[in-house]
């Protein structure tokens, strides 16, 4: 698969990407556990078939100490025993928030109640924003054919450069 368009080489897209990354940084720096952030991003990316984002979030999670077993089981989290109840609530929200067209009601009241049981207001805000951001990132990467396989942990932070210091 050949990349269709390099978003970072286009002035308008690069400006957008910088602001998009800044929004992501707000979530990254939130009280939502980073392991939960990576699991949620990985699951949404799996659903959306985004090889680039699957590659990125798997490698970032592994570099942060996430176990291979948990990473391999994200796709089948309902049928596994390695996730906490809080992580299961976050993964359910990620799935329902990603599959909006498949579920005419969007996120179920049951899933929302589980999320509220395990996360405070700031963490809920971060989780909702994360689901929106990863779905947007998946779409950007899939539309432009950003292939998975070449990402190395820390590459995204290097692209951000001074953005982390600004926020």
């Amino acid at each position: 698969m050949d990349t269709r368009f390099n978003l970072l080489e286009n002035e308008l897209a690069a400006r957008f990407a910088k602001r998009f990354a800044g929004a992501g940084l707000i979530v990254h720096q939130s009280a939502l556990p980073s392991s939960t952030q990576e699991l949620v991003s990985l699951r949404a990316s799996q659903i959306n078939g985004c090889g680039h984002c699957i590659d990125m979030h798997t490698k970032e999670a592994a570099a942060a100490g996430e176990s291979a077993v948990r990473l391999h089981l994200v796709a089948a989290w309902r049928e596994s025993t390695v996730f906490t109840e809080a992580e299961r609530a976050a993964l359910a929200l990620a799935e329902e928030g990603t599959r909006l067209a498949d579920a005419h009601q969007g996120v179920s009241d049951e899933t929302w109640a589980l999320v509220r049981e395990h996360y405070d207001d700031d963490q809920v805000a971060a989780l909702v924003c994360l689901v929106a951001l990863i779905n947007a990132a998946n779409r950007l990467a899939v539309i432009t054919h950003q292939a998975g396989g070449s990402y190395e942990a820390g590459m995204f932070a290097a692209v951000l450069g001074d953005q982390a210091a600004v926020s």
Side-chain angles (χ1 to χ4, degrees):
M1 174 173 74
D2 292 330
T3 300
R4 290 179 171 160
F5 190 79
N6 186 329
L7 293 168
L8 298 178
E9 290 179 357
N10 175 272
E11 183 182 343
L12 185 141
R15 288 190 348 247
F16 175 83
K18 188 171 186 174
R19 285 160 181 80
F20 188 82
L25 192 58
I26 293 168
V27 173
H28 179 71
Q29 294 173 342
S30 74
L32 185 65
S34 59
S35 60
T36 301
Q37 292 182 40
E38 293 298 344
L39 295 173
V40 163
S41 294
L42 177 56
R43 185 63 191 127
S45 299
Q46 290 170 335
I47 292 167
N48 288 323
C50 183
H52 176 75
C53 294
I54 292 168
D55 187 32
M56 175 191 303
H57 293 291
T58 299
K59 290 175 180 174
E60 290 292 348
E66 190 61 71
S67 76
V69 169
R70 284 169 43 95
L71 291 174
H72 291 302
L73 288 173
V74 167
W77 63 270
R78 283 184 179 84
E79 292 80 27
S80 64
T81 60
V82 297
F83 302 103
T84 67
E85 290 301 315
E87 290 168 337
R88 295 170 75 76
L91 289 165
L93 182 75
E95 284 192 1
E96 292 177 24
T98 297
R99 291 187 163 137
L100 294 176
D102 299 340
H104 57 86
Q105 296 177 342
V107 174
S108 70
D109 290 340
E110 177 183 52
T111 295
W112 187 254
L114 288 172
V115 167
R116 295 301 296 172
E117 181 180 322
H118 295 286
Y119 297 100
D120 65 25
D121 285 352
D122 286 345
Q123 292 170 318
V124 169
L127 188 55
V128 169
C129 291
L130 175 61
V131 171
L133 283 168
I134 191 59
N135 275 279
N138 291 163
R139 280 145 181 80
L140 289 167
V142 170
I143 289 168
T144 60
H145 280 182
Q146 304 300 309
S150 63
Y151 185 83
E152 294 180 28
M155 282 177 66
F156 185 70
V159 170
L160 282 178
D162 292 334
Q163 187 77 304
V166 174
S167 296

